[in-house]
Amino acid sequence: MEAEERERLLANHRNRPQERPDQDAHGRYCLACGIAIPPERVARVNAVRCVDCQHIREKQEATRVGRYRQ
């Protein structure tokens, strides 16, 4: 039981945005470019960036730590 609770808490922590989302009554907006993020993406991954901007961010991070290869 304790292991299940730990996994549940870790999953909640991983899915929590590390940055404060930009949102209003009309939806959530990408922190990088400002376009509206589809509600399906927000619901699925609790996104704070659109797909394109998130891809760019992940590529930059991977390059920074030496994991990205073209």
Side-chain angles (χ1 to χ4, degrees):
M1 199 68 153
E2 184 180 311
E4 290 174 10
E5 177 68 10
R6 186 177 324 120
E7 284 302 314
R8 185 185 65 74
L9 291 171
L10 283 171
N12 285 344
H13 179 73
R14 282 186 218 110
N15 291 332
R16 189 182 68 205
Q18 299 300 312
E19 299 168 287
R20 186 171 214 96
D22 177 16
Q23 64 186 41
D24 62 16
H26 302 289
R28 190 174 285 185
Y29 303 91
C30 177
L31 293 178
C33 71
I35 68 166
I37 301 171
E40 300 82 18
R41 177 167 168 72
V42 173
R44 180 159 291 182
V45 296
N46 205 10
V48 294
R49 286 184 180 72
C50 67
V51 172
D52 292 337
C53 290
Q54 184 63 35
H55 177 72
I56 291 167
R57 181 181 171 97
E58 289 172 4
K59 216 159 76 168
Q60 288 171 338
E61 179 64 19
T63 301
R64 187 181 68 78
V65 296
R67 291 181 291 167
Y68 183 73
R69 306 251 192 272
Q70 276 189 327

